[in-house]
Amino acid sequence: MEYTNVRYSITLNDAQIDYLADESQGISRMKCFVTFLRMAAKDPRKEKRKNFSVYLYTGQFMASKVELAETWGCDRKTATRIIWEFNQMDILSSKASNRTTVHTLKCLSVWFTGQGTVKNRFFTIDPAVRPVVKPERMVKPVSPENKTSV
């Protein structure tokens, strides 16, 4: 069913809001979040792809890291990191198979549409947020004999 006039009821805690608002990264986390909201199924359905299919419940969507990277205009490693961080923040839950990944939105409770309300069965009222720790990059020191003078 195609819904019109869609509005969202989202519950986020302070840590999750701070995470989404952080613009210091190379990709907008809010843009990624909106992508997830729009991709989530509002009705249970069977999603078919080449040589396989997956049953999606309300609040779930199917997307590979490659597909998300193309949608966001980034590389696959960045898409993988974003998905991992959203899972750490308990905004999203992802389950990979040998063909694709099914993602489940956990912070979205209800869609309000022109046709009525649609509840998300996976809504989590008290998320178990784990801090997102950025890996430190190893910087190799430059020895004095390797420096070039201008």
Side-chain angles (χ1 to χ4, degrees):
M1 170 185 270
E2 188 66 30
Y3 290 100
T4 59
N5 193 21
V6 177
R7 297 170 315 272
Y8 306 91
S9 177
I10 302 165
T11 302
L12 299 169
N13 63 28
D14 284 339
Q16 291 169 323
I17 290 171
D18 290 344
Y19 168 76
L20 291 174
D22 183 8
E23 293 292 332
S24 65
Q25 304 301 313
I27 187 168
S28 168
R29 295 169 177 168
M30 187 56 80
K31 174 184 172 184
C32 300
F33 182 60
V34 169
T35 302
F36 295 152
L37 287 174
R38 292 188 175 145
M39 292 177 78
K42 293 169 197 67
D43 290 315
R45 67 174 186 255
K46 190 172 191 175
E47 187 83 21
K48 294 181 182 181
R49 299 283 170 97
K50 186 178 180 180
N51 299 324
F52 73 100
S53 64
V54 174
Y55 191 81
L56 298 175
Y57 294 98
T58 303
Q60 293 183 319
F61 62 95
M62 178 174 61
S64 69
K65 294 168 184 119
V66 173
E67 292 169 321
L68 292 172
E70 288 173 2
T71 300
W72 298 330
C74 66
D75 61 30
R76 195 178 75 221
K77 283 185 179 182
T78 302
T80 301
R81 179 180 52 85
I82 291 293
I83 293 166
W84 180 82
E85 289 176 1
F86 270 72
N87 277 274
Q88 290 296 106
M89 295 305 296
D90 213 26
I91 295 171
L92 192 70
S93 173
S94 303
K95 186 158 181 104
S97 70
N98 61 345
R99 302 269 186 174
T100 191
T101 304
V102 174
H103 305 279
T104 305
L105 274 173
K106 298 172 77 177
C107 63
L108 175 66
S109 61
V110 176
W111 288 270
F112 297 100
T113 71
Q115 291 79 10
T117 59
V118 179
K119 291 185 179 184
N120 180 5
R121 66 188 279 182
F122 299 103
F123 171 66
T124 304
I125 195 158
D126 190 21
V129 176
R130 294 171 295 283
V132 175
V133 179
K134 302 285 183 209
E136 292 188 29
R137 296 184 182 191
M138 298 298 292
V139 178
K140 292 182 181 179
V142 178
S143 61
E145 58 271 1
N146 291 344
K147 288 186 179 178
T148 57
S149 59
V150 182

